[in-house]
Amino acid sequence: MSARTPRLDDPVIAAGISMASMTDRICAITLRERPFVWWWIAFAPCLALTALLAVAIAYLFCRGIGIWGVNWPVMWGFAILSYVWWIAIASGGTIISALFFLTRSEWRDSINRIAESMMLFGALAAGIYPILHLGRPWLFYWLFFYPNSMTLWAQFRSPLLWDFWALLTYVLASVLFWYFGLLPDLASVRDRAVSRGKRRFYGVLACGFRGSRLQWTHMRAAYAVMAAIMAPVVVSIHSIVGLDFAGAATPGWHSTEFPPFFVCGALLSGFAITLLLVIPLRRMLHLQDMMTGRHLDVLCKLLLTSSLCIAYAYLMDAFTTFYGADPAEHELFRMRAFGEYMPVYWGALVFNCLLPQLFWIKRVRVHTPGIVAICLGVVIGMWLERYEIVVTSLARPHLSSAWGAFHGTFWDWATLFGTIGMFLGGILLAVRFVPVVSMHEMRELIASRTAAESGA
Amino acid sequence: MAAIFGPAANLASKVVLLAVAGAVCVGFLFWWFWPTSDYARHVGAMVVQPVPFSHRHHVAGLGIDCRFCHSSVEVSANAGMPPTFTCMTCHSQIWTNASLLAPVRHSLSANTPIAWRRVTDLPDYVYFNHSIHIAKGVGCQSCHGPVEAMPLTYKAKALSMEFCLDCHRNPGPKLRPRSALYDTEWRSTPATPGAAALLAAYHVPDRNLTDCSLCHR
Amino acid sequence: MNHASDRLWRSLEEAGGNADFIARVSQEFPNLAASLAAPIDRRRALKLMAASLLMNGLPGCDSKLSENLIPAVRVPSNIVPALQNSYATAHVLGGYATGIVVSHYMGRPVKVAGNPHHPASLGAIDAFAQASLLNFYDPDRAAEIAHRGIPAARADFETALAAQRLSLGADRGAGLRILTGTVTSPTLIAQIRALLEQYPRAQWTQWEPISRDAVMQGAQLAYGRPLELIPRLEQADILVAIDSDLLCSAPGRLRYAREFAQRRNPNRTHAMSRIYAIEPTPTLLGSVADHRFIAGPAQLAHILVALAAGIVDGASAPDPARSLPDWIVPLLEDMKGARGRILVHVGASQPAELHALAHAINDALGGRGVSFDLIEPVSNAGSAGQPLRSLIAEMQSGRVQNLLIIDSNPLYSAPAAWNFEEALRQVSFSVALAQHPDETAQAAAWFVPQTHDWETWSDARAFDGTASILQPQALPLYDGLGAVEMLELYRAPAARSAEQVVRGTWKRQFGDGFDAAWHESLATGVVPDTACAKSGARLRALPAQLNSSAPINDDAALTVLLRPDPSLWDGRFANNPWLQELPRPLTKLVWDNPLLIAPALAARLHLENGDLARVTVARSSVTAPVWIMPGQAPECITAWLGSGRRAAGSIGDGQGIDYYPLTQLPGAATLQKQPGHVRLASTVHHNLLLAASQEVLRHGTLSDYLAHPGVASTAQPEPHIYRTAPPGAAAWAMSIDLNACIGCNACIVACQAENNISVVGKDQVLAEREMHWLRIDRYFAGDPDAPESFFQPVLCMHCEQAPCENVCPVGATVHDSEGLNVMVYNRCVGTRFCSNNCPYKVRRFNFLPYAREQHRPPQSWNPDVTVRVRGVMEKCSYCVQRIAEARIAADRESRPIGAVRTACQSACPTRAFTFGNSADPDSEVARRKSSPLNFSMLERQGTAPRTTYEALIRNPNPAIGAGRKAPPS
């Protein structure tokens, strides 16, 4: 069938999909008695990895962060760079969901639920790192402002403090944002559910959303407000993450370009992961007629755009280094580009800047295997970029007597892959238990189109 | 379509919501106020000692000066606990057979120290120095409370960092005339010199007394 | 130590009689006595350490009421809780004494400092003496007397000895032999002499693995009798150092270092000295010399002969067949120019003939009495007694029935070829008196645990003969015997106590007025007027065969230079964690002693750092990793003795390589590459050959400096937008004189001891997690084969604009009002951002619970400093505990705060460190900071460091042009 192979001129939604049929299909997925076999096959490894994460964390708390590869002078390692990586992924989801809601982009409606789930679980994965990273994690609450018997407060000038609060805000906001958008759909699922158990389950989740006009007004208003908040919040969180580095006098970090640079990075990895989720899901759940070639095309174009921004940032990075006169910066750049960490630098460059250029070619933008390959490349590239920023910079301080090297240990990798398992597991659970497409927004989309057709 | 929930659900949902909110509030309040509570800090908790030594009897009753037993309080960080010999200076003469004092006599004969239980304890990363506080006019009672009234010694003040800072930020009002440092009867009277006068008398430097390095090393 | 100065120099008697005092001590740490009474296995040690955290670890939770207060039953005078007492004694190494002062808290020794009254110390102290604290507390020290490995009671030993005395009396001691290290102790010498009179046919052998015999024999050749040469470096305008050990291992090195430094800072000395070093392997003196010329043994002898020919009339000319380096001529000019103010010094490892030549040159240049003195020998080692070789021969032939080994470990350190082990089996009654059940002790019939020097009475002489009395600092932690007591036991059953014996020795000396003199000597740690007399000996005509006496090595062949390990000496410190993890001055290696080879040799054999190679000398060979040492002579391989112990204890066993099998072997060496590679732990993680940039370390030549004195100094600091200088009354600051630093590491150990810094072990160092607050950065510049080298101590700079402070989210590192950059451990949550933001990388992090796993009992920590738990950042605090103590003492008396000395400062032999209140214009630190040489590190970072440096100025001979180059060879 032609609808199954995505084409550039696909409509946002295939003709002949009525509100009812769409709602029925989506609810059917959620209300299936038993999950698909592929779901189990995918979920099992995620569960295993999550268990590994639990072990890694337990051992970490018992023994101390010495189980990681961090050392003197490379005091930050996987914890921070993975944190930045996850936050970027989450932010990408937010931008698709919130920013393009505000711009009323209709292509967003069918994929924003996926994007939001991505935001949610990305934020959670990121959220655990700052605490694991601490030498004495049980004292993390000292970053709160609370009246205590020491009459001490947290220290306002530290970017880490801003980061802590930004992250807190972001995680809470994304949970709410996700949930608000979910309410009407939960209600529809509740109404279509047959078994008493499911009806009660979704009934509780739906918080008694009955679709009354008043409820709709409130819900829309709340969602719009949340979107309007999320858009700047996501920019701020990632700028502040950038400031964690820009705020330090360390060679390789001390650069004003970091905040925008990091936001672009967030977009890039966000679009990449969205594509990586959308492509298999539309296939497995037979949603090709709702997530069409049009969607892939748009996402690929956006990915290409953000990749160009990143390329610009890399260019500026090199330029400012040699425009400036700091010998430490020069040495550091030489080491990055030609030293022991050479593969990291060039890897990031190729995966983040060169590879996505393939999207200039129209055919590639709808060629799913190609897209998947490129997006995987981007995801890895973004991780390498963070590795380059965090590790290589620290390995080359001003004094050559303090130069060092960093090598991740088993527990570093265990924690990283553990969070990946947790993330994917979360997505799969969402696919299983909540509507995978935002039905109420789709209904509006369909309504507007039918109105347009009838109007024509 | 049949209702999923009965009317009771409305109430239930409200109750649950309120309960959650309440739990959160209580949790926060506990987190804020528990650590500073006297209970958590063992204020007023009497400690059972190998010998039921009564400060009330020895200080208020017999009028023995603090320094008779805590002899290094003026020269050292550590006020000093009396060696068994100090106890025996008197108790070799009086109450020589009191069963209460058996541990003391045993300590002397067996040359094994008496292990007193600590009453006022500071964390090991706090370096408190008795001598300088005495030298600058802080009386024993300011931190140890009415020891002369204690049949069994207990911790009288919270001794939290807040407690220390409270005085370090404005020491003047807490100072006593030199004559009153060990005087358990002393109470501030209109005749008592004012804060400024005392600060001057003790040459308390106008140094920042809240530097971390003052107590933490 | 400033705060101790008033209480310093009090003898134990004054402390209310030993009995009381020592009883007090044992009371003071009952659980130490208890825990250490039984031999300790690792788990037990760990339990101890856990206990230590309860005692003084961070997590001491303030609501805990479980801790006990344990007052003494009886307190002797002067023991005040939480106050420090200090007692003078001496540290003896290789027979020679260095005066030290041991500080006690509540009777527990916790810190060792130098003794300003002692000629060999002048207040300074070396790494060994400081680390002897850990030897004292070492849980591996033996607890019981053992007979053939089976624990025995002291009574058993005494009965066995009684039987021996009978048989010895019968044959007038024919079978009795005594083996000791070099002995300078008047008491011990007297005792042994007495023993030899009692048993006339007995023999005494003195033997040191790190031998100084060549020095004595050299003097013998030149002056007809053994003499000691005492350099007067502050008087020497020119020092020609031939493979000199003056700053590394010579007795009196601390004093020489002080005198050396007095002529090195052009801003303070009237005339800068000039130092030429000619050596096969880099020494400390060579690394700081103005000219360093590289020459292998053969070339070295050749050059010295040439110098002699140029200066001594009648000296034979050098072998014309051999080329001479071009710098010989200007060198000779320079030497002749400095007649009377010059010294040629030859290292102890060079053959006697070269020493004799040097004596001749020195004599001809007339420096005697000015730039050096000749004194009667301090010890009669080497000259007197039976050589070890013949002792072993006798043992093998079964003529020795009774061998007493005192504090010597020949089984490990005697040349393997002599086969001491086999010989020892032939001895029916052998007694080893040793602190550890070491290699020899385990093979001997009787092993008697020896008390630590701090647990018994003794005495010893310093490099110049000045005697010190060693007084006990505590009751023995283990049952044991001192050397004095052991010798007493050998003489008579009802032995006198060590104290009685030592008193007896000095009664004879002091005569009447004994008590006063005795107290004085104990108090000051020096027995007045006991220095050796200057010798009037005249130089003999040089024997003609001298120039042919150069070692018969041609340059092609390799030579193995066996030297004492800079941190482990001859191996006796192998079980000392501080010293094992002390970065060796030039390689920065820890826990290892690879073969040091020249870059050229490495290139020829395709060797990288850590590659295995086999070195063979005369059929005996050792396989070891190699380390490429810039500035090494290509025909020389340097091997440090003292590692590879088999029975040192849980720390030292199996660490490193044992090179003793290569000692005392004739002929050339060969080196072959072997398959395999070893990871060597160095605290410099990139073995780079870097010119120290002027940003980091400023240096220049004397001529530059004289041309424009300000050349190296810091430009006017730019005004800061933000905080200016803190308001406090005092402004603590430090100035480090790079002209004085010789990289000797005394400061590092001082810091480690004072501030409870953990040892992390080889694996953690390989993981780049060493904890030293103070590190000495070593830079090389120029040609890898003959580089210029620099030392730069780096510790927290206490920046006024500290980058670490504003990135800490919880404010755990903040500024105090007197300008200290304070690290509040108990507030630290361990984000480690401060370290990332520190341009100087002086912050260290407890990645793992290191403090729990230290090889030392909790009682040995410094009670004035918090012990850091895992997950906490730490760094140099300018010894804030000492500042606090001084401040409190001053405030108590309402007087301005006096001088404060940091641990590194008081240990430093060259006074490179100066610390104090820079707000006081009269303070030494303020004066040094006003020096034209003053500069701050990484100035452009705008951190306004409180720690600044004085630039390194060198004084090369203009006639020799390019500072240092290798001779054509």
Side-chain angles (χ1 to χ4, degrees), chain C residues 394-598:
Chain C
E394 281 194 339
M395 288 160 67
Q396 255 141 355
S397 64
R399 262 176 287 146
V400 181
Q401 288 85 41
N402 187 325
L403 175 64
L404 170 59
I405 306 170
I406 294 178
D407 197 16
S408 180
N409 188 6
L411 190 59
Y412 161 71
S413 56
W418 299 1
N419 199 351
F420 184 86
E421 186 164 17
E422 173 53 32
L424 190 58
R425 280 201 213 90
Q426 313 303 325
V427 182
S428 55
F429 186 88
S430 54
V431 181
L433 183 70
Q435 284 186 12
H436 285 86
D438 59 25
E439 292 83 350
T440 310
Q442 290 181 358
W446 284 93
F447 159 53
V448 182
Q450 182 181 17
T451 49
H452 189 274
D453 280 353
W454 297 357
E455 296 169 332
T456 182
W457 288 86
S458 180
D459 49 18
R461 291 187 181 281
F463 72 109
D464 67 348
T466 308
S468 301
I469 296 170
L470 281 64
Q471 57 181 333
Q473 305 292 324
L475 267 192
L477 299 181
Y478 313 95
D479 188 18
L481 284 176
V484 176
E485 287 144 328
M486 176 60 86
L487 286 167
E488 274 303 291
L489 269 183
Y490 253 77
R491 284 184 57 198
R496 296 176 298 167
S497 77
E499 184 185 0
Q500 289 164 328
V501 182
V502 176
R503 276 168 167 271
T505 316
W506 292 101
K507 263 209 172 60
R508 287 193 290 284
Q509 293 272 336
F510 297 146
D512 44 2
F514 166 80
D515 288 339
W518 173 256
H519 275 159
E520 181 60 15
S521 316
L522 287 180
T524 56
V526 178
V527 187
D529 319 322
T530 41
C532 296
K534 287 186 186 173
S535 157
R538 311 278 359 127
L539 188 75
R540 301 193 305 185
L542 281 186
Q545 88 284 2
L546 264 181
N547 58 347
S548 68
S549 71
I552 26 67
N553 271 353
D554 61 282
D555 295 331
L558 289 172
T559 317
V560 181
L561 308 171
L562 295 146
R563 301 291 166 92
D565 186 303
S567 297
L568 305 180
W569 193 245
D570 61 1
R572 73 185 62 189
F573 294 106
N575 207 47
N576 191 313
W578 283 349
L579 292 175
Q580 282 281 8
E581 197 162 297
L582 187 59
R584 311 306 190 256
L586 286 153
T587 60
K588 295 294 160 191
L589 284 164
V590 296
W591 295 97
D592 261 313
N593 63 334
L595 296 163
L596 305 185
I597 59 173

Side-chain angles (χ1 to χ4, degrees), chain A residues 60-73 75-76 133-139 142-143 150 152-155 157-161 244 247-250 253 325-327 340 394 396-405, chain C residues 58 683-686 688 690 696 767-770 775 777 779 794 803 805-811 825-833 835-837 839-845 847-849 853 869-873 937-938 940-941:
Chain A
L60 175 75
F61 284 176
C62 298
R63 185 82 181 119
I65 61 165
I67 67 170
W68 292 344
V70 283
N71 61 27
W72 177 92
M75 290 271 174
W76 287 0
H133 164 80
L134 294 179
R136 299 201 289 168
W138 53 91
L139 296 177
W142 281 356
L143 275 75
M150 300 173 283
L152 288 176
W153 276 36
Q155 209 266 104
R157 292 175 301 169
S158 168
L160 277 188
L161 189 75
D244 283 348
T250 313
W253 287 5
D326 185 345
E340 57 194 302
L394 290 178
R396 281 291 183 280
H398 294 90
L399 301 184
S400 58
S401 62
W403 287 3
Chain C
L58 262 184
T683 57
V684 172
H685 303 294
H686 281 68
L688 297 163
L690 275 184
V696 175
E768 304 177 20
R769 292 170 180 177
E770 62 273 11
R775 65 179 196 265
D777 286 348
Y779 296 98
V794 179
E805 286 172 6
N806 44 25
V807 295
C808 176
V810 292
Y825 311 119
N826 42 306
R827 179 66 176 171
C828 178
V829 297
T831 67
R832 314 191 290 295
F833 203 171
S835 170
N836 293 346
N837 213 24
Y840 310 95
K841 288 288 172 279
V842 293
R843 293 177 158 264
R844 304 293 193 175
F845 188 72
F847 289 95
L848 294 171
E853 294 161 8
V869 291
R870 68 121 145 153
V872 169
M873 188 64 70
M937 198 179 189
L938 296 177
R940 293 200 291 106
Q941 294 297 310

Side-chain angles (χ1 to χ4, degrees), chain B residues 95-184:
Chain B
W95 299 107
T96 45
N97 300 322
S99 56
L100 272 183
L101 299 177
V104 184
R105 293 193 293 272
H106 172 265
S107 154
L108 187 72
S109 54
N111 192 29
T112 54
I114 306 172
W116 298 97
R117 308 276 312 285
R118 200 180 264 283
V119 174
T120 44
D121 192 10
L122 290 176
D124 298 326
Y125 47 76
V126 176
Y127 287 84
F128 178 84
N129 187 305
H130 277 92
S131 65
I132 189 63
H133 287 83
I134 292 295
K136 295 302 176 194
V138 181
C140 309
Q141 286 171 315
S142 307
C143 303
H144 293 288
V147 176
E148 77 284 359
M150 300 181 185
L152 274 182
T153 318
Y154 57 85
K155 186 179 173 188
K157 304 285 172 95
L159 299 185
S160 63
M161 185 162 156
E162 201 170 14
F163 174 85
C164 302
L165 286 173
D166 182 36
C167 183
H168 271 229
R169 285 178 174 144
N170 179 20
K174 304 284 198 306
L175 303 186
R176 303 173 163 209
R178 185 161 306 285
S179 59
L181 286 180
Y182 306 97
D183 179 356
T184 54

Side-chain angles (χ1 to χ4, degrees), chain B residues 76 116 131 136 211 213 217, chain C residues 69 72 81 816-817 866 891-892:
Chain B
S76 165
W116 298 97
S131 65
K136 295 302 176 194
D211 281 341
S213 51
R217 308 170 192 167
Chain C
L69 288 161
D816 82 359
S817 58
T866 310
D891 285 353
R892 265 203 311 258

Side-chain angles (χ1 to χ4, degrees), chain C residues 626-666:
Chain C
V626 300
W627 186 267
I628 300 171
M629 183 75 241
Q632 173 90 349
E635 65 268 41
C636 292
I637 307 166
T638 305
W640 290 330
L641 301 168
S643 288
R645 291 285 303 272
R646 300 181 294 286
S650 55
I651 296 291
D653 285 351
Q655 284 292 353
I657 310 288
D658 176 11
Y659 295 111
Y660 276 108
L662 300 180
T663 49
Q664 302 279 343
L665 292 174

Side-chain angles (χ1 to χ4, degrees), chain C residues 45 77 100 160 168 207 209 215 248 321 428 441 462 517 525 536 605 695 812 861 869 939:
Chain C
S77 50
I100 61 173
L168 287 175
W207 180 76
V215 181
C248 339
S428 55
L605 299 176
E695 266 275 277
W861 296 107
V869 291
E939 189 188 358

